[in-house]
Amino acid sequence: MTRILIFVKIKPLLLLLLSGLLTISCGNNPEDTLTPEEIYSAPPEVVKEYGFVLDDFTVERDTVQKGDSFGKILFDANVDYATIQEISDSVQPVFDTKRIRVGKPYVLLKAKDTTNAAQVFIYEQNKEDYVVVDFQNQIKAAARKHPTTVYEREISGVINSNLSSTFDDLGVSVNVAYKMADVYAWTIDFFKLQKGDRFKVIYDERFVNDSIPAGIGNIKACLFEHNGREVYAFRFKNDSLPGGVDYYDETGKNLRRAFLKGPLQFNRISSRYNLKRRIKYYGYKIRPHKGTDFAGAIGTPILATADGTVTKSERRGGNGNYVKIRHNGTYETQYLHMQKRNVKVGEFVRQGDIIGTIGMTGNTGGPHVCYRFWKNGKQVDPFKQDLPDSEPLATELMPAFDSIRKPLKMQLDNIPWLSETLDDAAEEAVNEERLQ
Ligand SMILES: [Zn+2]
């Protein structure tokens, strides 16, 4: 308790010393090195931002408005046209001054003299990256990054409607949901989630200046309970795989399957394989549908559902733009009505590679990809096939995997389920009422 108190008290001064003198190493206990007198006589804190002592300037913070340009902003800040041109030209390799965007924050550091002219222009490209254009003496520009810190976060949640709204309710970036959908792409159909399905996840999140969220890192481990079935996933670097990193269940079984469930990141089936399909347009005559249609907006990436070699990539008749891939002696897959094809015949593609985009070419009423699954030269329903699992981890990798899995599993198991936390809170409230 005392230690924490002291740390909090000492912290601003310690930071100052670290940035200024660097005499105190991190391991040293500040209590031993600083007397109250020293603390008292410390100079006032110097505020440095973007590498400048802000007190030396008049600081103006603003955002790029409609109609603004780099030239206009500087001209309004008392910089003459010739200088602006010279600045623009000389910083070009680092910073294209024409590319400033409406809504982006910028900072002007102006001279504290009668000219009140800008001397430094700082442009925030995104939460992490910024550019400093310094024309105090000679003109120089530098691309820099705000310091970022990575924090590990743990969450648990219960599905009430769909995954992304559940994350919204939790106040957690929906990107975590997308990443989780990726992890489970082969094992859980995220379009068939049930109310009451629940999950726990451990992931990294980056913060700028310790406070502004700047993006989601990797999911380290997660647990999904779908329909009462638990599926653990642990991130593990397997050097024997191209790409290396993959997710495995608690027994070391790869969560990937030999085939993806469908050719889209989020698979929504609009028409199933059906040999007895009747179509109104054809007078309700039987028109077998030997493919599975996955709906998606025009331009949605289409993924190869398994590793293989492209055998067809062309535009032809009712198929429109299509790609066909041979995976092995038994299986081939085919993808129809593409807007764009990204692969050529003879090319080797990996599972999950983007081979094209959803379009409406050929014989189709709306944007979708017709996914055709061939087994021994015949079209079959991929959802009725007993498709092979992918390779489990090699025995010699198991010790390394276990050393990663064990602590993560314990950590996952210790995260309370959201409902438990709610129950506890409710119970506490009841107890408190009783006490009153
Ligand atoms: Zn179809």
Side-chain angles (χ1 to χ4, degrees):
M1 195 62 190
T2 3
R3 273 183 71 192
I4 291 167
L5 237 111
I6 285 163
F7 176 69
V8 171
K9 265 184 165 167
I10 284 295
K11 201 177 169 196
L13 186 75
L14 185 68
L15 281 176
L16 179 72
L17 286 167
L18 282 173
S19 60
L21 305 168
L22 283 171
T23 47
I24 300 174
S25 80
C26 291
N28 274 358
N29 189 337
E31 289 163 87
D32 302 335
T33 42
L34 296 173
T35 65
E37 284 79 9
E38 278 171 317
I39 293 172
Y40 190 71
S41 64
E45 203 171 323
V46 180
V47 181
K48 256 193 159 188
E49 211 182 320
Y50 306 106
F52 294 92
V53 178
L54 294 191
D55 272 352
D56 294 350
F57 302 90
T58 305
V59 181
E60 270 183 32
R61 295 171 195 270
D62 210 336
T63 51
V64 179
Q65 307 294 313
K66 217 174 160 187
D68 270 354
S69 66
F70 178 72
K72 184 176 182 298
I73 291 169
L74 287 203
F75 188 74
D76 291 348
N78 303 331
V79 182
D80 62 81
Y81 274 128
T83 314
I84 293 170
Q85 192 57 51
E86 201 190 336
I87 296 168
S88 287
D89 291 345
S90 58
V91 302
Q92 173 75 27
V94 179
F95 176 50
D96 184 353
T97 56
K98 284 187 222 68
R99 303 195 68 180
I100 64 166
R101 294 272 173 273
V102 173
K104 296 282 184 192
Y106 68 87
V107 183
L108 286 173
L109 304 184
K110 292 176 159 185
K112 270 188 172 172
D113 60 21
T114 46
T115 65
N116 196 31
Q119 297 187 311
V120 180
F121 174 79
I122 298 151
Y123 177 69
E124 303 263 6
Q125 290 169 304
N126 54 49
K127 284 169 187 165
E128 249 179 286
D129 302 289
Y130 65 95
V131 178
V132 175
V133 180
D134 182 343
F135 37 97
Q136 292 179 86
N137 303 308
Q138 71 204 106
I139 300 163
K140 50 192 178 196
R144 298 216 183 110
K145 273 181 189 300
H146 289 291
T148 54
T149 328
V150 175
Y151 289 103
E152 188 181 270
R153 292 191 68 179
E154 300 176 343
I155 50 166
S156 72
V158 181
I159 304 293
N160 30 49
S161 53
N162 60 51
L163 198 59
S164 51
S165 74
T166 302
F167 273 76
D168 269 354
D169 294 347
L170 288 169
V172 175
S173 163
V174 75
N175 287 329
V176 180
Y178 293 149
K179 290 206 170 191
M180 219 159 64
D182 264 353
V183 169
Y184 290 114
W186 301 271
T187 33
I188 294 169
D189 188 342
F190 277 83
F191 273 100
K192 286 197 190 137
L193 292 183
Q194 315 263 332
K195 212 174 163 179
D197 280 358
R198 49 188 194 163
F199 58 88
K200 298 174 179 183
V201 52
I202 303 168
Y203 65 98
D204 282 335
E205 186 162 8
R206 280 179 301 125
F207 287 87
V208 163
N209 294 330
D210 258 2
S211 55
I212 306 155
I216 304 301
N218 293 315
I219 287 186
K220 291 176 169 170
C222 44
L223 167 64
F224 210 101
E225 203 182 280
H226 172 55
N227 255 337
R229 184 174 68 111
E230 285 187 338
V231 187
Y232 281 93
F234 302 96
R235 188 174 194 270
F236 179 64
K237 195 164 182 296
N238 178 354
D239 291 325
S240 66
L241 279 178
V245 176
D246 231 329
Y247 288 87
Y248 298 84
D249 73 5
E250 72 270 39
T251 64
K253 220 171 95 184
N254 196 323
L255 285 176
R256 236 173 242 276
R257 290 289 180 271
F259 285 88
L260 299 183
K261 287 197 164 205
L264 304 180
Q265 197 193 7
F266 288 94
N267 291 298
R268 186 164 64 79
I269 294 172
S270 50
S271 168
R272 281 192 181 271
Y273 178 96
N274 180 2
L275 295 178
K276 294 186 185 126
R277 178 176 68 164
R278 292 171 192 276
I279 292 184
K280 189 178 168 189
Y281 180 79
Y282 296 112
Y284 297 102
K285 285 210 182 90
I286 290 181
R287 289 272 163 166
H289 185 221
K290 291 185 174 174
T292 309
D293 292 345
F294 292 89
I298 298 250
T300 305
I302 298 172
L303 318 176
T305 55
D307 295 358
T309 305
V310 176
T311 53
K312 292 269 169 61
S313 175
E314 61 184 13
R315 180 167 188 152
R316 201 176 52 163
N319 285 1
N321 272 319
Y322 80 99
V323 167
K324 195 171 184 182
I325 301 169
R326 173 161 284 286
H327 303 288
N328 51 34
T330 313
Y331 297 110
E332 294 161 283
T333 55
Q334 199 182 359
Y335 312 78
L336 275 53
H337 315 309
M338 289 175 164
Q339 179 188 46
K340 271 194 197 139
R341 288 177 278 118
N342 290 5
V343 289
K344 293 194 180 76
V345 170
E347 206 174 318
F348 181 76
V349 291
R350 297 214 58 102
Q351 183 178 59
D353 280 355
I354 298 171
I355 54 170
T357 52
I358 286 190
M360 281 183 62
T361 56
N363 192 4
T364 166
H368 73 276
V369 53
C370 184
Y371 175 59
R372 303 191 162 204
F373 197 89
W374 300 74
K375 185 180 183 183
N376 297 320
K378 273 197 181 142
Q379 291 191 59
V380 296
D381 183 351
F383 297 97
K384 300 252 165 73
Q385 305 301 308
D386 213 359
L387 293 173
D389 281 355
S390 70
E391 294 284 298
L393 272 179
T395 327
E396 62 267 27
L397 287 172
M398 284 309 280
F401 174 67
D402 280 343
S403 70
I404 283 173
R405 172 192 59 87
K406 278 181 186 158
L408 280 172
K409 180 162 188 298
M410 197 183 288
Q411 196 181 341
L412 274 177
D413 292 344
N414 281 325
I415 303 172
W417 287 112
L418 190 64
S419 50
E420 289 172 19
T421 7
L422 288 179
D423 289 351
D424 287 350
E427 213 168 277
E428 248 165 55
V430 171
N431 285 340
E432 259 167 43
E433 249 166 50
R434 264 195 217 125
L435 286 171
Q436 279 164 359

